[in-house]
Amino acid sequence: MSYLKPTLHHPKLPTNALGLTRRDYEGSISTLCAGCGHDSISAAIVQAVWELSIPPHRVAKLSGIGCSSKTPDYFLGASHGFNSVHGRMPSVLTGANLANRELIYLGVSGDGDSASIGLGQFAHLMRRGVNMTYIVENNGVYGLTKGQFSATSDKGSKAKKGAVNTDEPIDLVALALELGATYVARSFSGDKDQLVPLIKGALTHQGVAFIDCISPCVAFNNHEGSTKSYDYVREHNEAVNRLDVFFDRTPITASYAPGEVTEVTQHDGSLLRMRKLHEDHDPTDRVAALNYLARHKAMGEIVTGLLYIDPHPEDLHDHLGTVATPLNRLDDAALCPGSAALEKINAALR
Amino acid sequence: MQKLSAVNDFVVKFANVNGSGSASANQLFAKSILRMGIPIASRNIFPSNIQGLPTWFEVRVSGEGHLGRRGGVDMAVAMNPQTWDRDIAELEPGGYLVYDSTKPLPRSRFREDITVLGVPLTEMCNARYTDARQRQLFKNIMYVGALSSLLGIDPAAVEQLLTEQYRGKEKLAASNREAFHMGRDWARANLPEIGLRLEPADKVGNRIYVEGNAAAALGAVYGGATVCAWYPITPSTSLAEAFERYCRRFRTDPDGRKRYAIVQAEDELASIGIVIGASWNGARAFTATSGPGISLMQEFVGLSYFAEIPAVIFDVQRAGPSTGMPTRTQQSDVLSAAYASHGDTKHVLLLPEDPRECFEFGAAAFDLADRLQTTIFVLLDLDIGMNDWLCEPFAWDDAKRMDRGKVMTAEMLEAGTTFGRYLDVDGDGIPYRTYPGTHPSKGAFFTRGTSRDRFAKYTEQGAAYVDNMQRLLRKFETAKSLVPAPIERKASRTTPYGVIYYGSTSAAMREALVGLEQDGVHLDALRIRAFPFPEDVSRFIEAHETVFVVEQNRDAQLRTLITTECGIDPARLVPILHYDGTPITARFIRAAIGRQASSLDVVPLRKTVP
């Protein structure tokens, strides 16, 4: 396994609109196991941010604790990162977002971090509509502590040492839909073509965007009997649509038959084009998305794709009515009422 | 029977049912005395309940200006049948009982050694008002009227207060005035003169009458806080609410947009998480809570200490443990705040004595948090936080600017300044930080609670960890020179004995010192205002043979902190502890120190008092 990252790279690596190569979006070398799904997600994040030509330092990446939460060190090395407390990334990110509404916020979490210890914070962040991209790298298992079931493990799923899970799983996608998330997707770390556009759509979304990304754990949850293994997910993956993200009115190419495409223009001007792969699914209908999810879950399918999007979301700043200037840039004059105002207060207290 | 007789020096206690609208009438009573130039100290004693349970309001009138709770009651206004027996029993012999005499009570329900003053409040209200709520509310104003006659409150002061309170609601002002005069006129015609009198004085000066929670919130506004995340908990709730009120008034743009953000979080963990996230990103942020909240925030406070992220926590202490006595006061979070979290941690505590200092420290806490890049606790308690105190007016120097501490800017990075997030460049233990998004290619770092080197690179090497922990100690040393210094008050003569106190004990302590001098017990006194303790604290203790430490908790928490942190022999620090949930009194301190002092032979054989 490599422990050093080569500094040499091909002189003709493609550049984005900022003249940066993908290498400019990478981070430290990963310390995760070889073949870990999480590394594919990190690569997809690098690809998505690079393709969107976002200056890396305008992204703040935050996480909780766990294998997934280590990954922000492995992408966007020029961004500030914060590996916070187990299950509490949502509150830390909420605070960060309140302080500076101009940065792009990316929260990376795991199924233990978000569905067990942090379920409360996950729920309340969704309710508040914090403008962020929330990725759960979902492997159904505790990796760093070596193989315990997590709250997203399916009932009946088998652990590496043979124990069978008897608890009902928590479906974070269903919860996110229920709790008001305005961009809800599921993907698979083994399907980069699906994942990269979903991350791009999430990053451009001006509300809370949630991606549940199934990401097999090669060390503890990739065996026969697991429902989060590469093989199981490939067999049961039912993509509802294929997403493309554009910033101009790229004409629909001949390969898309009219009527099979849903288009949504987001607030920032980005165009989300979804090719339907599955029956009648309207991704702008929250209730339909919940129904669709429940129906297909009952059929034993893992539904992936962009399940729901509200093209005109509101975020926490809208709800609070804060000023456009980031709060962390307000100076004394904007914040301190001064001695004359204090004299008036004194007078009223006599 | 010897009737109590006093001018501008007595205690009136109102016994009410909560939710009955008595609070504003009692407030009117208190403020009208202040308007006569006579100092008062007032306290609410209330249950953890919204409606129907007993609640008391105690007003100590003190021409001498003593603001602590005195203990004892000279006049009871007994409006709650539920607590009648207790309220009567509490009266000093020779005291006065004012009650609603509409319904006759057997003689056995009274005491022989008090003066009973019945006013048919319900009868008068029922005759005058038809609406049930009005009957209830005006009963309160009516007893204020009766008291004004009995005690000699200037009716002009009451009328003026009503005019101010109901500005723009003339009808309400007029009906309140009417009820006030009904009570006053009835008392003048029917009640005898009593021995307790108010006489106009000039002892209030330009002082203000305000609660500590509102003062601390105002301090947060002046200190530049923009993010407040909180979870409702008595007795801190009114702090966050006051912050919102002041912000709405002072931080709203003409288009209605807000220069602040307040989130009522789902719990205390989320509150402190939001504070730490906001502070990490360069905003000034705080939370307000009480003991149980401090317990819940422990893990995050450790992160703030180790990752060096500013945070301000206002802890309005109440009696614990667990939910303890949620509406009673204590100073019992000293240790859990000072050493909050797992691992080796210690935190800065600020210990305001009254609302004036709540304001001052409330603002200063944000400069300290930014300068020291750590959590600053401001420890109020229910007594300061939820009671109106007479204190010096708030003051602000318009030349003052926020001290944002060591923040490396894009210009500095561009100029090639070395940036190591945990690099001690100035020898004070305080490194530079950068805000996220500062520079396209320089100054980014990965914040983590796990060990890292001076350049924020992950490491589990023991040497790097120790290096960092030692630097954190240097930073804590630096803090000693930045926090408010203790204030010493010398006895009138040289003495080998001293006393240490802090927070809301101050008022009672000052009064007790006067009494103890009269008893021949001379004490040098040191009021501690912050932790870590500046050198003055050790010096003070070294200069005395025995030092009493007066606290409102069971376990002598500040004493423990002093012995641990200053390496003092515990035998030299004698604890004086009051922890029944009521505010400490001068009487208690005087008696407790007096007892200890006689066993230590502090009292000279021949009393110095002639």
Side-chain angles (χ1 to χ4, degrees):
Chain A
M1 212 165 105
S2 53
Y3 57 93
L4 280 176
K5 221 167 195 172
T7 47
L8 289 169
H9 57 261
H10 198 280
K12 286 196 182 133
L13 272 180
T15 55
N16 63 11
L18 300 172
L20 299 174
T21 71
R22 270 196 299 275
R23 299 300 303 271
D24 297 314
Y25 288 80
E26 290 176 356
S28 313
I29 195 156
S30 170
T31 60
L32 299 174
C33 309
C36 177
H38 296 359
D39 284 334
S40 312
I41 301 173
S42 295
I45 291 169
V46 167
Q47 182 73 22
V49 183
W50 176 76
E51 283 182 18
L52 289 171
S53 295
I54 294 169
H57 74 294
R58 301 309 294 171
V59 179
K61 44 183 190 174
L62 294 97
S63 62
I65 296 292
C67 289
S68 56
S69 292
K70 288 168 76 173
T71 65
D73 201 15
Y74 314 142
F75 56 81
L76 302 179
S79 306
H80 272 66
F82 195 163
N83 192 181
S84 67
V85 179
H86 199 16
R88 316 294 172 210
M89 173 275 285
S91 64
V92 178
L93 192 145
T94 301
N97 183 296
L98 288 176
N100 184 358
R101 60 190 302 174
E102 286 183 351
L103 297 183
I104 292 167
Y105 293 92
L106 172 61
V108 176
S109 179
D111 39 310
D113 202 54
S114 276
S116 290
I117 189 169
L119 187 62
Q121 296 218 337
F122 169 85
H124 289 280
L125 178 134
M126 296 295 150
R127 286 181 56 227
R128 293 194 183 102
V130 178
N131 183 4
M132 73 169 296
T133 296
Y134 193 131
I135 300 177
V136 167
E137 302 185 349
N138 184 357
N139 56 16
V141 74
Y142 284 81
L144 272 183
T145 54
K146 304 192 174 179
Q148 300 78 17
F149 287 122
S150 85
T152 63
S153 299
D154 289 310
K155 198 172 180 176
S157 184
K158 203 189 259 179
K160 199 175 180 184
K161 286 180 182 161
V164 174
N165 182 34
T166 53
D167 295 346
E168 284 292 336
I170 289 172
D171 185 349
L172 292 172
V173 163
L175 267 184
L177 282 168
E178 188 72 47
L179 293 166
T182 44
Y183 180 107
V184 181
R186 175 143 48 215
S187 190
F188 173 43
S189 65
D191 187 352
K192 199 174 174 183
D193 291 343
Q194 183 192 45
L195 181 56
V196 172
L198 284 175
I199 295 173
K200 285 166 73 178
L203 289 168
T204 52
H205 185 69
Q206 300 297 304
V208 55
F210 174 62
I211 303 173
D212 177 30
C213 190
I214 298 172
S215 174
C217 173
V218 289
F220 299 106
N221 208 10
N222 197 31
H223 47 268
E224 180 79 35
S226 159
T227 59
K228 296 274 193 292
S229 67
Y230 278 109
D231 288 346
Y232 187 93
V233 177
R234 284 206 178 97
E235 274 163 34
H236 296 79
N237 186 350
E238 283 297 328
V240 60
N241 51 27
R242 282 279 163 186
L243 175 69
D244 287 304
V245 180
F246 301 98
F247 281 89
D248 48 27
R249 303 292 302 179
T250 308
I252 294 176
T253 54
S255 61
Y256 303 161
E260 286 179 348
V261 171
T262 311
E263 288 189 345
V264 170
T265 306
Q266 298 204 100
H267 189 69
D268 68 335
S270 59
L271 172 71
L272 305 187
R273 185 172 287 161
M274 285 157 279
R275 273 175 290 149
K276 282 184 192 172
L277 298 176
H278 232 270
E279 56 176 88
D280 252 357
H281 175 62
D282 176 4
T284 61
D285 183 339
R286 187 185 294 273
V287 176
L290 273 164
N291 281 334
Y292 186 88
L293 195 67
R295 244 186 357 262
H296 287 262
K297 187 181 166 193
M299 288 151 64
E301 293 174 4
I302 302 168
V303 174
T304 59
L306 181 53
L307 293 159
Y308 174 69
I309 178 170
D310 176 351
H312 306 292
E314 281 190 350
D315 83 335
L316 181 57
H317 282 282
D318 297 327
H319 300 155
L320 294 177
T322 44
V323 287
T325 310
L327 295 179
N328 70 354
R329 286 220 297 272
L330 297 176
D331 61 6
D332 291 87
L335 298 177
C336 183
S339 62
L342 201 55
E343 258 327 300
K344 280 189 191 152
I345 292 176
N346 282 331
L349 295 170
R350 288 187 177 117
Chain B
M1 178 187 60
Q2 178 74 39
K3 290 184 184 176
L4 286 180
S5 179
V7 175
N8 293 356
D9 183 17
F10 51 86
V11 173
V12 181
K13 189 170 182 178
F14 299 83
N16 301 98
V17 177
N18 73 353
S20 68
S22 57
S24 61
N26 296 347
Q27 192 75 9
L28 181 68
F29 172 80
K31 271 198 140 176
S32 64
I33 299 174
L34 279 179
R35 290 288 172 95
M36 292 172 71
I38 311 163
I40 58 156
S42 64
R43 285 175 173 83
N44 288 295
I45 302 149
F46 61 99
S48 183
N49 181 269
I50 299 301
Q51 202 175 54
L53 285 188
T55 171
W56 293 270
F57 183 67
E58 196 180 277
V59 177
R60 176 183 187 183
V61 179
S62 174
E64 297 289 311
H66 296 311
L67 302 180
R69 189 163 166 252
R70 189 197 71 180
V73 179
D74 303 323
M75 173 184 271
V77 182
M79 300 298 293
N80 185 1
Q82 214 182 335
T83 58
W84 176 270
D85 293 338
R86 206 165 129 191
D87 295 329
I88 307 262
E90 209 177 30
L91 263 175
E92 298 279 320
Y96 302 88
L97 170 72
V98 176
Y99 80 111
D100 182 355
S101 60
T102 304
K103 198 173 146 217
L105 285 168
R107 266 190 77 168
S108 61
R109 299 299 303 275
F110 299 95
R111 263 168 55 183
E112 293 298 332
D113 61 345
I114 57 171
T115 303
V116 176
L117 305 160
V119 185
L121 293 167
T122 304
E123 190 186 310
M124 289 197 290
C125 276
N126 288 358
R128 171 66 184 82
Y129 308 104
T130 49
D131 178 70
R133 188 67 186 155
Q134 281 189 338
R135 283 176 169 178
Q136 173 61 52
L137 291 177
F138 288 124
K139 205 193 290 184
N140 302 318
I141 301 295
M142 235 174 241
Y143 70 61
V144 175
L147 292 174
S148 78
S149 158
L150 285 165
L151 297 169
I153 294 176
D154 178 6
V158 175
E159 296 214 3
Q160 176 62 25
L161 283 163
L162 287 171
T163 306
E164 289 169 23
Q165 189 183 345
Y166 298 107
R167 209 182 291 281
K169 301 169 190 161
E170 187 38 44
K171 232 174 116 184
L172 263 175
S175 49
N176 274 280
R177 267 199 299 274
E178 188 203 342
F180 170 76
H181 281 288
M182 274 171 76
R184 182 176 168 84
D185 293 347
W186 192 93
R188 270 154 64 115
N190 297 287
L191 295 179
E193 282 209 6
I194 63 166
L196 306 179
R197 295 290 307 165
L198 291 167
E199 277 173 15
D202 189 17
K203 294 284 181 60
V204 172
N206 69 341
R207 280 186 284 179
I208 56 173
Y209 180 63
V210 64
E211 64 150 51
N213 281 353
L218 190 61
V221 174
Y222 275 72
T226 50
V227 175
C228 164
W230 68 293
Y231 185 74
I233 179 171
T234 305
S236 73
T237 303
S238 62
L239 202 162
E241 288 173 344
F243 182 72
E244 175 150 42
R245 211 167 50 240
Y246 286 126
C247 279
R248 206 181 308 131
R249 178 165 158 199
F250 294 120
R251 299 257 197 88
T252 306
D253 276 1
D255 63 358
R257 303 283 283 272
K258 298 167 179 170
R259 300 192 297 275
Y260 62 97
I262 300 174
V263 175
Q264 185 189 316
E266 61 270 28
D267 55 28
E268 284 89 346
L269 284 80
S271 304
I272 186 67
I274 290 169
V275 168
I276 285 175
S279 301
W280 174 73
N281 212 358
R284 292 193 150 183
F286 76 95
T287 184
T289 188
S290 189
I294 299 297
S295 295
L296 287 170
M297 293 175 187
Q298 297 278 314
E299 187 183 17
F300 259 127
V301 173
L303 178 75
S304 149
Y305 178 80
F306 195 58
E308 297 181 70
I309 298 164
V312 173
I313 301 176
F314 292 98
D315 174 11
V316 189
Q317 299 168 94
R318 65 191 216 187
S322 187
T323 36
M325 294 198 286
T327 59
R328 308 295 148 138
T329 195
Q330 254 180 18
Q331 297 177 316
S332 51
D333 295 342
V334 174
L335 286 175
S336 69
Y339 296 130
S341 206
H342 51 283
D344 290 319
T345 55
K346 34 189 164 185
H347 311 287
V348 176
L349 314 179
L350 304 183
L351 306 164
E353 67 162 347
D354 65 2
R356 158 67 196 239
E357 276 192 350
C358 289
F359 171 76
E360 197 180 307
F361 294 1
F366 293 93
D367 277 355
L368 282 169
D370 270 348
R371 173 59 48 186
L372 293 165
Q373 300 176 21
T374 194
T375 292
I376 309 292
F377 285 94
V378 187
L379 294 187
L380 292 76
D381 60 25
L382 184 143
D383 191 22
I384 303 182
M386 289 189 71
N387 288 314
D388 288 315
W389 287 61
L390 192 61
C391 62
E392 289 304 311
F394 303 135
W396 190 258
D397 175 3
D398 285 327
K400 195 185 140 16
R401 294 287 170 269
M402 290 187 272
D403 172 16
R404 300 307 318 260
K406 297 188 192 179
V407 179
M408 203 167 279
T409 60
E411 293 72 34
M412 291 163 80
L413 291 164
E414 197 56 45
T417 315
T418 305
F419 173 64
R421 174 64 184 99
Y422 300 107
L423 187 65
D424 183 4
V425 282
D426 301 318
D428 56 3
I430 306 171
Y432 273 84
R433 63 178 182 139
T434 52
Y435 299 150
T438 295
H439 189 279
S441 59
K442 298 178 175 133
F445 67 97
F446 200 67
T447 304
R448 40 164 69 90
T450 40
S451 179
R452 71 275 139 155
D453 65 12
R454 295 173 177 186
F455 292 86
K457 213 164 150 8
Y458 183 82
T459 175
E460 291 183 15
Q461 283 181 19
Y465 174 81
V466 169
D467 174 64
N468 186 56
M469 294 299 278
Q470 288 296 323
R471 182 182 54 75
L472 286 169
L473 278 184
R474 282 203 298 285
K475 188 167 88 166
F476 210 61
E477 278 299 309
T478 302
K480 288 181 181 175
S481 61
L482 300 177
V483 298
I487 295 176
E488 185 171 353
R489 170 181 158 148
K490 287 270 189 201
S492 60
R493 63 178 63 181
T494 312
T495 171
Y497 303 101
V499 62
I500 283 175
Y501 62 100
Y502 61 99
S504 67
T505 303
S506 299
M509 189 67 229
R510 272 195 289 272
E511 184 183 352
L513 284 170
V514 176
L516 285 161
E517 289 255 318
Q518 286 165 12
D519 301 342
V521 181
H522 300 276
L523 298 166
D524 291 330
L526 189 75
R527 180 163 74 86
I528 290 183
R529 300 199 296 165
F531 173 70
F533 306 121
E535 300 306 328
D536 300 359
V537 175
S538 299
R539 267 202 297 276
F540 178 84
I541 298 168
E542 278 156 18
H544 297 89
E545 278 170 31
T546 300
V547 174
F548 300 99
V549 184
V550 185
E551 305 189 53
Q552 301 186 54
N553 59 62
R554 186 194 67 179
D555 291 343
Q557 297 191 17
L558 191 84
R559 176 176 171 270
T560 301
L561 202 56
I562 293 171
T563 53
T564 309
E565 294 290 330
C566 306
I568 304 277
D569 174 6
R572 296 177 63 187
L573 299 180
V574 179
I576 301 291
L577 305 169
H578 178 93
Y579 56 92
D580 68 2
T582 62
I584 196 167
T585 63
R587 284 179 183 180
F588 171 86
I589 299 173
R590 188 175 172 178
I593 292 187
R595 262 196 312 279
Q596 293 277 352
S598 56
S599 72
L600 287 165
D601 219 8
V602 177
V603 185
L605 287 175
R606 274 188 328 131
K607 269 197 154 188
T608 49
V609 184

